[in-house]
Amino acid sequence: MSFSTCSAPSTSSGSDVKQDSRRVKKGWEDELKDRIQVFPGTVQEFIDTLLPCSTPFVATPEVLNAFWAYNTHQGDEVSSYPALLSGLERILSSFPTDKRISFAATSDNQIPFPFTSFKDHHHHTKPDLSASFPGMPIPLKPVWKHISTVIEVKGSAEEDPFPRGGERHVGTITQLAKNARNLMLAHGFLCSFVIGIYGNIVRLARFDHSCALVSPCIDLRLGGARVLQKFFWHFVHPIVGHPVVGNDPTISKLDKDSREWIRWQLMRRNPKVPEKHLSELKQGRRVEVYDNATGRAIPYLLYHVVDVNGRLFSRATMVWRAIEDTRVWKDGRLVPDPTRPEPVKPCILKEAWRQVVRPAETEYYHRLQDCIDEEERFGLAKMVYGGDIGELEMRWWQKTMERRAGILPDPTTNPTTPTSDSGAAIAAPPPADCPYPMFSSIGRQASSTSPTDTPGVVAEFPLHYPQHQTYSWRLLDAEYQHLERSHMRIVIDDVGRPLTQFTSTRELVEAIRDAIIGHRLAWEKAGVLHRDVSLGNILIVDEQVHPNAKFIGFLHDFDYSSSTADQHHNRPEDRTSSPNAISDGEVEKNKKERTGTYYFMAVELISGETIIHDVHHDLESFYWILLWVLLRHAECSRNGDSGEALCEKTFIWENDDLSMGAKNNWLQKTTTHKLVFPGNPPLTELMTAFTRQVASQTASQFLKSLGFPVSCLNYDLVLDLINQALADTAGWPPNDWKRCSLLDRDARTVPQDVVSLPPKPESSEPSLPSSPRLRPKKTVGRGLQSAPGQLPSRTQLASERPLDPRDLRPSKRRKTAMGPPPTIPAKSTNGSSCRRSGSRKCGSGHEPVRSSPRLAAKKASGSSIPPAE
């Protein structure tokens, strides 16, 4: 993902946003594969577990016949909307006015992607029915900022997609998934709820960034009205957050004063601040950034979306331009701090949902800062603050469960000052009249103390389960905890623009060179190997923010890095309590993952063999990035073929064999026929020499497989090539960037999000558990299912797993305002166990299941879950 100054990425195309395009359909099919699971309990347990309620629900008898007029037939859903809207209004009529939701039919309303800058890169959606936020009317033509949940309607029960497969039903599920994705992006929801009505059958669905849980079916005419009434009551009475379940309590909307203060601060620092940075202030947010090094919660004002990952089940990375909120609370409002007269410096804030089996990105940044002096830092981004909110919340939840089980003392008899994981005291909560919460899961309530690693804390965790760390898979079985994701935020000091926005090819090459130097420092000084060198992870320094920067380009985004065990720094704040964390003893196994952005992966890694990802693979990725940008944005040709035509032939995402063959073909032909840049001899010679070195490395793979010593790319070799070309200062033309016409029509050359690709297995490779209700009984079609596989044992997933309320349930539980978490059976109601299915193809261009040492442990354990009868 890019920490850049652009308002929209330059890597999509017009055909990419067509809803019926092959690529869009295949992308959603791959993403949803095995990620939709039927909740293993009753619909009442679904609501009680996933929508904990602050106010007890009392059913009203008059709702029983709310949908008596509802009648529909397949293909004639629209005619049923009035009866549905009337029924929904009736079941909510007893709600308090400030908790009542309004509904509208929106099937004819094309609702664009939540962020205007990216609406051309994602197609619109048309939910059948849309719901407002509590106490708010819904406009005639709403957009996502007005919508809290949606309902998709089909005419018959045969169109209920969840016990079935097939392409047709994948499309039905995709409708729900897109709506859930847009809700989470638009509002920063931690999870979102959507509803499917199929004839008389109703399904409730909860989506987060790891998977979706779907309720058992409900008959709308036989008690369904009361179930929907209970669902909406719980939905608008959250224990945590406001105003609906799923809202992130560490996020608040920007009010008018905050928007004006942002504009004032930016104009003070740079009177010529680009208008595009201020054009979407109303979509901005105020967020709390938990810093694991100090235990502080630092408020930031996010005002411009730089990049957004539109994938649902993924890291869901969002990158914002932001400034620290340095105002202080005085006389009932936030005012400028007189002790901080200087204008606030813009920075980059990144939030993402990392896989719990991976070390946090903050750990790598801390390590870089520990091992590389500030004077020596070159070509590397610098982290200012950062922490994993999910891990912090998980520790709080675990200790609450332990106290309820009697393992830890009661906090009311042994109060302590709450501390962070580094031992630093957590800042005191804000004044009671302050509308902005400190970091916690319960906002500014009196008990909003963060967790601590020492026995006894002031507050108990208020929910059944954490919400900043997903828990959906754990509800199915604790075996699947390695599939969960954890919410993190980091603030980066360096701000840049994408490589595709270079002013001259010389600047582009200089930025690549500086990033290689940064890569070298990270590896040789700190033992950190990046492993995801890609287009978005190298940026050109924004000279307006950093006018005196000592480097032109820099490397960032260490989400998929690995580190050497011998140089590991045991910083207290980096010691995660998560039992899913990868230990030093697993470093070499971890480096065997095929990790990277598919277009820019080294040829040897694409081959699918079990290969340790090493420095020379990352250096080859620098070559493919440089080539990709030049073919699209510089005047060049080879044997009469234009750069754009060559780009289409060279970068292919369909599968490994095609991709590897295209790259090898490029290397073979370009070593004999130069890629020529008219009027730019240094660049022509650089790419000729660089291509020959990469071709030599790729050709050596066969000799390497036979045990012969081979020479690979190294830092000195690559940097010498680049520096020799840059030494010819007179040969580089100025301002030679050109627009790429491929952006208007072709989606095949769009780089995909980062992927971590499992090696091609010798035997069946473990994948995701498939719900029995999603699996066809006989053959596998083009739906969401595939063949069953095996799972690693619990003992090999971790030395111990996160505590579960079911494991800690005491014989007599202390009373709480919320009550104990509901008991969830480990198996589905039909008696079938969840099981895994075969791994996904890695050449689809979409992020497949991550391969990790914990998944590979299956072969050693031999554990499995038997297939359903």
Side-chain angles (χ1 to χ4, degrees), residues 656-682:
D656 290 352
D657 292 336
L658 288 175
S659 177
M660 190 167 53
K663 285 186 174 180
N664 280 325
N665 184 60
W666 165 266
L667 293 171
Q668 180 182 4
K669 289 187 176 181
T670 310
T671 52
T672 56
H673 299 88
K674 289 184 178 181
L675 176 65
V676 177
F677 297 85
N680 197 338

PDB file of all heavy atoms in Angstrom, residues 656-682:
ATOM      1  N   ASP A 656       0.795 -19.199 -12.554  1.00  0.00           N
ATOM      2  CA  ASP A 656       2.247 -19.211 -12.398  1.00  0.00           C
ATOM      3  C   ASP A 656       2.966 -19.479 -13.709  1.00  0.00           C
ATOM      4  O   ASP A 656       3.951 -18.813 -14.038  1.00  0.00           O
ATOM      5  CB  ASP A 656       2.652 -20.271 -11.367  1.00  0.00           C
ATOM      6  CG  ASP A 656       2.259 -19.888  -9.956  1.00  0.00           C
ATOM      7  OD1 ASP A 656       1.814 -18.745  -9.760  1.00  0.00           O
ATOM      8  OD2 ASP A 656       2.385 -20.733  -9.057  1.00  0.00           O
ATOM      9  N   ASP A 657       2.508 -20.483 -14.455  1.00  0.00           N
ATOM     10  CA  ASP A 657       3.210 -20.868 -15.678  1.00  0.00           C
ATOM     11  C   ASP A 657       3.218 -19.736 -16.705  1.00  0.00           C
ATOM     12  O   ASP A 657       4.249 -19.444 -17.318  1.00  0.00           O
ATOM     13  CB  ASP A 657       2.581 -22.126 -16.268  1.00  0.00           C
ATOM     14  CG  ASP A 657       2.806 -23.351 -15.395  1.00  0.00           C
ATOM     15  OD1 ASP A 657       3.790 -23.339 -14.622  1.00  0.00           O
ATOM     16  OD2 ASP A 657       2.004 -24.289 -15.471  1.00  0.00           O
ATOM     17  N   LEU A 658       2.059 -19.094 -16.892  1.00  0.00           N
ATOM     18  CA  LEU A 658       1.994 -17.991 -17.844  1.00  0.00           C
ATOM     19  C   LEU A 658       2.842 -16.807 -17.396  1.00  0.00           C
ATOM     20  O   LEU A 658       3.551 -16.186 -18.185  1.00  0.00           O
ATOM     21  CB  LEU A 658       0.541 -17.547 -18.038  1.00  0.00           C
ATOM     22  CG  LEU A 658      -0.373 -18.483 -18.827  1.00  0.00           C
ATOM     23  CD1 LEU A 658      -1.797 -17.950 -18.828  1.00  0.00           C
ATOM     24  CD2 LEU A 658       0.134 -18.644 -20.254  1.00  0.00           C
ATOM     25  N   SER A 659       2.771 -16.495 -16.118  1.00  0.00           N
ATOM     26  CA  SER A 659       3.529 -15.359 -15.593  1.00  0.00           C
ATOM     27  C   SER A 659       5.029 -15.599 -15.713  1.00  0.00           C
ATOM     28  O   SER A 659       5.780 -14.733 -16.172  1.00  0.00           O
ATOM     29  CB  SER A 659       3.147 -15.100 -14.136  1.00  0.00           C
ATOM     30  OG  SER A 659       3.908 -14.052 -13.591  1.00  0.00           O
ATOM     31  N   MET A 660       5.466 -16.779 -15.303  1.00  0.00           N
ATOM     32  CA  MET A 660       6.888 -17.112 -15.368  1.00  0.00           C
ATOM     33  C   MET A 660       7.370 -17.157 -16.817  1.00  0.00           C
ATOM     34  O   MET A 660       8.459 -16.659 -17.147  1.00  0.00           O
ATOM     35  CB  MET A 660       7.130 -18.455 -14.674  1.00  0.00           C
ATOM     36  CG  MET A 660       8.596 -18.810 -14.462  1.00  0.00           C
ATOM     37  SD  MET A 660       8.774 -20.198 -13.313  1.00  0.00           S
ATOM     38  CE  MET A 660       7.700 -21.412 -14.058  1.00  0.00           C
ATOM     39  N   GLY A 661       6.558 -17.724 -17.707  1.00  0.00           N
ATOM     40  CA  GLY A 661       6.938 -17.793 -19.118  1.00  0.00           C
ATOM     41  C   GLY A 661       7.052 -16.423 -19.747  1.00  0.00           C
ATOM     42  O   GLY A 661       7.964 -16.164 -20.545  1.00  0.00           O
ATOM     43  N   ALA A 662       6.133 -15.508 -19.391  1.00  0.00           N
ATOM     44  CA  ALA A 662       6.173 -14.159 -19.953  1.00  0.00           C
ATOM     45  C   ALA A 662       7.424 -13.414 -19.507  1.00  0.00           C
ATOM     46  O   ALA A 662       8.069 -12.716 -20.306  1.00  0.00           O
ATOM     47  CB  ALA A 662       4.917 -13.396 -19.544  1.00  0.00           C
ATOM     48  N   LYS A 663       7.773 -13.573 -18.254  1.00  0.00           N
ATOM     49  CA  LYS A 663       8.974 -12.880 -17.767  1.00  0.00           C
ATOM     50  C   LYS A 663      10.238 -13.469 -18.382  1.00  0.00           C
ATOM     51  O   LYS A 663      11.162 -12.731 -18.755  1.00  0.00           O
ATOM     52  CB  LYS A 663       9.033 -12.949 -16.234  1.00  0.00           C
ATOM     53  CG  LYS A 663       8.044 -12.013 -15.545  1.00  0.00           C
ATOM     54  CD  LYS A 663       8.231 -11.994 -14.037  1.00  0.00           C
ATOM     55  CE  LYS A 663       7.341 -10.945 -13.396  1.00  0.00           C
ATOM     56  NZ  LYS A 663       7.495 -10.881 -11.924  1.00  0.00           N
ATOM     57  N   ASN A 664      10.301 -14.776 -18.455  1.00  0.00           N
ATOM     58  CA  ASN A 664      11.472 -15.397 -19.086  1.00  0.00           C
ATOM     59  C   ASN A 664      11.600 -15.003 -20.555  1.00  0.00           C
ATOM     60  O   ASN A 664      12.698 -14.780 -21.070  1.00  0.00           O
ATOM     61  CB  ASN A 664      11.405 -16.917 -18.952  1.00  0.00           C
ATOM     62  CG  ASN A 664      11.843 -17.408 -17.581  1.00  0.00           C
ATOM     63  OD1 ASN A 664      12.740 -16.826 -16.974  1.00  0.00           O
ATOM     64  ND2 ASN A 664      11.218 -18.461 -17.099  1.00  0.00           N
ATOM     65  N   ASN A 665      10.471 -14.908 -21.228  1.00  0.00           N
ATOM     66  CA  ASN A 665      10.482 -14.494 -22.625  1.00  0.00           C
ATOM     67  C   ASN A 665      10.998 -13.064 -22.765  1.00  0.00           C
ATOM     68  O   ASN A 665      11.769 -12.746 -23.678  1.00  0.00           O
ATOM     69  CB  ASN A 665       9.073 -14.617 -23.207  1.00  0.00           C
ATOM     70  CG  ASN A 665       9.027 -14.292 -24.687  1.00  0.00           C
ATOM     71  OD1 ASN A 665       9.675 -14.936 -25.502  1.00  0.00           O
ATOM     72  ND2 ASN A 665       8.260 -13.270 -25.046  1.00  0.00           N
ATOM     73  N   TRP A 666      10.567 -12.199 -21.851  1.00  0.00           N
ATOM     74  CA  TRP A 666      11.062 -10.819 -21.868  1.00  0.00           C
ATOM     75  C   TRP A 666      12.588 -10.791 -21.708  1.00  0.00           C
ATOM     76  O   TRP A 666      13.300 -10.106 -22.438  1.00  0.00           O
ATOM     77  CB  TRP A 666      10.404 -10.011 -20.764  1.00  0.00           C
ATOM     78  CG  TRP A 666      11.112  -8.714 -20.496  1.00  0.00           C
ATOM     79  CD1 TRP A 666      12.071  -8.484 -19.553  1.00  0.00           C
ATOM     80  CD2 TRP A 666      10.974  -7.499 -21.234  1.00  0.00           C
ATOM     81  NE1 TRP A 666      12.528  -7.185 -19.641  1.00  0.00           N
ATOM     82  CE2 TRP A 666      11.867  -6.571 -20.659  1.00  0.00           C
ATOM     83  CE3 TRP A 666      10.183  -7.113 -22.306  1.00  0.00           C
ATOM     84  CZ2 TRP A 666      11.992  -5.272 -21.138  1.00  0.00           C
ATOM     85  CZ3 TRP A 666      10.295  -5.817 -22.777  1.00  0.00           C
ATOM     86  CH2 TRP A 666      11.190  -4.910 -22.209  1.00  0.00           C
ATOM     87  N   LEU A 667      13.085 -11.526 -20.723  1.00  0.00           N
ATOM     88  CA  LEU A 667      14.523 -11.504 -20.439  1.00  0.00           C
ATOM     89  C   LEU A 667      15.317 -12.043 -21.620  1.00  0.00           C
ATOM     90  O   LEU A 667      16.380 -11.516 -21.982  1.00  0.00           O
ATOM     91  CB  LEU A 667      14.810 -12.331 -19.185  1.00  0.00           C
ATOM     92  CG  LEU A 667      14.240 -11.770 -17.867  1.00  0.00           C
ATOM     93  CD1 LEU A 667      14.411 -12.779 -16.741  1.00  0.00           C
ATOM     94  CD2 LEU A 667      14.909 -10.453 -17.496  1.00  0.00           C
ATOM     95  N   GLN A 668      14.806 -13.113 -22.238  1.00  0.00           N
ATOM     96  CA  GLN A 668      15.529 -13.723 -23.357  1.00  0.00           C
ATOM     97  C   GLN A 668      15.609 -12.769 -24.556  1.00  0.00           C
ATOM     98  O   GLN A 668      16.672 -12.588 -25.149  1.00  0.00           O
ATOM     99  CB  GLN A 668      14.831 -15.024 -23.760  1.00  0.00           C
ATOM    100  CG  GLN A 668      15.517 -15.742 -24.921  1.00  0.00           C
ATOM    101  CD  GLN A 668      14.767 -17.003 -25.322  1.00  0.00           C
ATOM    102  OE1 GLN A 668      13.702 -17.296 -24.795  1.00  0.00           O
ATOM    103  NE2 GLN A 668      15.330 -17.746 -26.259  1.00  0.00           N
ATOM    104  N   LYS A 669      14.500 -12.134 -24.897  1.00  0.00           N
ATOM    105  CA  LYS A 669      14.478 -11.273 -26.081  1.00  0.00           C
ATOM    106  C   LYS A 669      15.197  -9.952 -25.842  1.00  0.00           C
ATOM    107  O   LYS A 669      15.819  -9.409 -26.759  1.00  0.00           O
ATOM    108  CB  LYS A 669      13.029 -11.025 -26.510  1.00  0.00           C
ATOM    109  CG  LYS A 669      12.355 -12.254 -27.101  1.00  0.00           C
ATOM    110  CD  LYS A 669      10.979 -11.908 -27.660  1.00  0.00           C
ATOM    111  CE  LYS A 669      10.349 -13.123 -28.335  1.00  0.00           C
ATOM    112  NZ  LYS A 669       9.013 -12.795 -28.898  1.00  0.00           N
ATOM    113  N   THR A 670      15.093  -9.424 -24.615  1.00  0.00           N
ATOM    114  CA  THR A 670      15.671  -8.103 -24.357  1.00  0.00           C
ATOM    115  C   THR A 670      17.180  -8.157 -24.213  1.00  0.00           C
ATOM    116  O   THR A 670      17.859  -7.135 -24.342  1.00  0.00           O
ATOM    117  CB  THR A 670      15.025  -7.477 -23.104  1.00  0.00           C
ATOM    118  OG1 THR A 670      13.600  -7.569 -23.221  1.00  0.00           O
ATOM    119  CG2 THR A 670      15.393  -6.008 -22.958  1.00  0.00           C
ATOM    120  N   THR A 671      17.736  -9.325 -23.940  1.00  0.00           N
ATOM    121  CA  THR A 671      19.198  -9.427 -23.897  1.00  0.00           C
ATOM    122  C   THR A 671      19.802  -9.329 -25.297  1.00  0.00           C
ATOM    123  O   THR A 671      20.983  -9.020 -25.452  1.00  0.00           O
ATOM    124  CB  THR A 671      19.624 -10.757 -23.248  1.00  0.00           C
ATOM    125  OG1 THR A 671      18.957 -11.837 -23.890  1.00  0.00           O
ATOM    126  CG2 THR A 671      19.283 -10.753 -21.759  1.00  0.00           C
ATOM    127  N   THR A 672      19.011  -9.604 -26.317  1.00  0.00           N
ATOM    128  CA  THR A 672      19.512  -9.500 -27.698  1.00  0.00           C
ATOM    129  C   THR A 672      18.963  -8.282 -28.432  1.00  0.00           C
ATOM    130  O   THR A 672      19.579  -7.807 -29.380  1.00  0.00           O
ATOM    131  CB  THR A 672      19.145 -10.771 -28.494  1.00  0.00           C
ATOM    132  OG1 THR A 672      17.729 -10.977 -28.440  1.00  0.00           O
ATOM    133  CG2 THR A 672      19.844 -11.991 -27.899  1.00  0.00           C
ATOM    134  N   HIS A 673      17.805  -7.786 -28.027  1.00  0.00           N
ATOM    135  CA  HIS A 673      17.213  -6.598 -28.631  1.00  0.00           C
ATOM    136  C   HIS A 673      16.930  -5.590 -27.518  1.00  0.00           C
ATOM    137  O   HIS A 673      16.086  -5.831 -26.654  1.00  0.00           O
ATOM    138  CB  HIS A 673      15.920  -6.936 -29.382  1.00  0.00           C
ATOM    139  CG  HIS A 673      16.115  -7.902 -30.496  1.00  0.00           C
ATOM    140  ND1 HIS A 673      16.067  -9.269 -30.314  1.00  0.00           N
ATOM    141  CD2 HIS A 673      16.364  -7.708 -31.818  1.00  0.00           C
ATOM    142  CE1 HIS A 673      16.272  -9.879 -31.464  1.00  0.00           C
ATOM    143  NE2 HIS A 673      16.455  -8.959 -32.400  1.00  0.00           N
ATOM    144  N   LYS A 674      17.624  -4.487 -27.544  1.00  0.00           N
ATOM    145  CA  LYS A 674      17.538  -3.504 -26.476  1.00  0.00           C
ATOM    146  C   LYS A 674      16.155  -2.872 -26.381  1.00  0.00           C
ATOM    147  O   LYS A 674      15.462  -2.691 -27.381  1.00  0.00           O
ATOM    148  CB  LYS A 674      18.567  -2.385 -26.691  1.00  0.00           C
ATOM    149  CG  LYS A 674      20.002  -2.785 -26.471  1.00  0.00           C
ATOM    150  CD  LYS A 674      20.897  -1.559 -26.621  1.00  0.00           C
ATOM    151  CE  LYS A 674      22.361  -1.915 -26.368  1.00  0.00           C
ATOM    152  NZ  LYS A 674      23.240  -0.721 -26.480  1.00  0.00           N
ATOM    153  N   LEU A 675      15.804  -2.536 -25.158  1.00  0.00           N
ATOM    154  CA  LEU A 675      14.671  -1.653 -24.920  1.00  0.00           C
ATOM    155  C   LEU A 675      15.220  -0.231 -25.037  1.00  0.00           C
ATOM    156  O   LEU A 675      16.070   0.176 -24.243  1.00  0.00           O
ATOM    157  CB  LEU A 675      14.083  -1.891 -23.521  1.00  0.00           C
ATOM    158  CG  LEU A 675      12.940  -0.975 -23.096  1.00  0.00           C
ATOM    159  CD1 LEU A 675      11.706  -1.201 -23.976  1.00  0.00           C
ATOM    160  CD2 LEU A 675      12.583  -1.202 -21.625  1.00  0.00           C
ATOM    161  N   VAL A 676      14.755   0.515 -26.010  1.00  0.00           N
ATOM    162  CA  VAL A 676      15.340   1.811 -26.341  1.00  0.00           C
ATOM    163  C   VAL A 676      14.462   2.937 -25.815  1.00  0.00           C
ATOM    164  O   VAL A 676      13.234   2.941 -26.018  1.00  0.00           O
ATOM    165  CB  VAL A 676      15.516   1.966 -27.867  1.00  0.00           C
ATOM    166  CG1 VAL A 676      16.071   3.352 -28.207  1.00  0.00           C
ATOM    167  CG2 VAL A 676      16.426   0.873 -28.393  1.00  0.00           C
ATOM    168  N   PHE A 677      15.101   3.897 -25.134  1.00  0.00           N
ATOM    169  CA  PHE A 677      14.451   5.107 -24.660  1.00  0.00           C
ATOM    170  C   PHE A 677      14.998   6.270 -25.496  1.00  0.00           C
ATOM    171  O   PHE A 677      16.125   6.722 -25.264  1.00  0.00           O
ATOM    172  CB  PHE A 677      14.734   5.331 -23.175  1.00  0.00           C
ATOM    173  CG  PHE A 677      14.183   4.252 -22.279  1.00  0.00           C
ATOM    174  CD1 PHE A 677      14.910   3.078 -22.049  1.00  0.00           C
ATOM    175  CD2 PHE A 677      12.942   4.382 -21.692  1.00  0.00           C
ATOM    176  CE1 PHE A 677      14.412   2.077 -21.247  1.00  0.00           C
ATOM    177  CE2 PHE A 677      12.427   3.383 -20.881  1.00  0.00           C
ATOM    178  CZ  PHE A 677      13.156   2.224 -20.658  1.00  0.00           C
ATOM    179  N   PRO A 678      14.244   6.758 -26.468  1.00  0.00           N
ATOM    180  CA  PRO A 678      14.761   7.798 -27.370  1.00  0.00           C
ATOM    181  C   PRO A 678      15.193   9.046 -26.586  1.00  0.00           C
ATOM    182  O   PRO A 678      14.475   9.524 -25.711  1.00  0.00           O
ATOM    183  CB  PRO A 678      13.553   8.112 -28.274  1.00  0.00           C
ATOM    184  CG  PRO A 678      12.694   6.897 -28.202  1.00  0.00           C
ATOM    185  CD  PRO A 678      12.869   6.354 -26.817  1.00  0.00           C
ATOM    186  N   GLY A 679      16.385   9.522 -26.913  1.00  0.00           N
ATOM    187  CA  GLY A 679      16.895  10.719 -26.256  1.00  0.00           C
ATOM    188  C   GLY A 679      17.349  10.505 -24.838  1.00  0.00           C
ATOM    189  O   GLY A 679      17.598  11.476 -24.107  1.00  0.00           O
ATOM    190  N   ASN A 680      17.482   9.242 -24.423  1.00  0.00           N
ATOM    191  CA  ASN A 680      17.879   8.949 -23.045  1.00  0.00           C
ATOM    192  C   ASN A 680      18.870   7.786 -23.029  1.00  0.00           C
ATOM    193  O   ASN A 680      18.549   6.681 -22.583  1.00  0.00           O
ATOM    194  CB  ASN A 680      16.644   8.610 -22.201  1.00  0.00           C
ATOM    195  CG  ASN A 680      16.913   8.705 -20.709  1.00  0.00           C
ATOM    196  OD1 ASN A 680      18.050   8.624 -20.267  1.00  0.00           O
ATOM    197  ND2 ASN A 680      15.856   8.874 -19.936  1.00  0.00           N
ATOM    198  N   PRO A 681      20.105   8.016 -23.531  1.00  0.00           N
ATOM    199  CA  PRO A 681      21.096   6.935 -23.587  1.00  0.00           C
ATOM    200  C   PRO A 681      21.422   6.310 -22.234  1.00  0.00           C
ATOM    201  O   PRO A 681      21.570   5.075 -22.147  1.00  0.00           O
ATOM    202  CB  PRO A 681      22.327   7.612 -24.203  1.00  0.00           C
ATOM    203  CG  PRO A 681      21.795   8.828 -24.891  1.00  0.00           C
ATOM    204  CD  PRO A 681      20.610   9.267 -24.114  1.00  0.00           C
ATOM    205  N   PRO A 682      21.547   7.095 -21.132  1.00  0.00           N
ATOM    206  CA  PRO A 682      21.878   6.450 -19.856  1.00  0.00           C
ATOM    207  C   PRO A 682      20.828   5.432 -19.411  1.00  0.00           C
ATOM    208  O   PRO A 682      21.176   4.363 -18.902  1.00  0.00           O
ATOM    209  CB  PRO A 682      21.964   7.627 -18.875  1.00  0.00           C
ATOM    210  CG  PRO A 682      22.200   8.826 -19.713  1.00  0.00           C
ATOM    211  CD  PRO A 682      21.486   8.564 -20.992  1.00  0.00           C
TER     212      PRO A 682
END
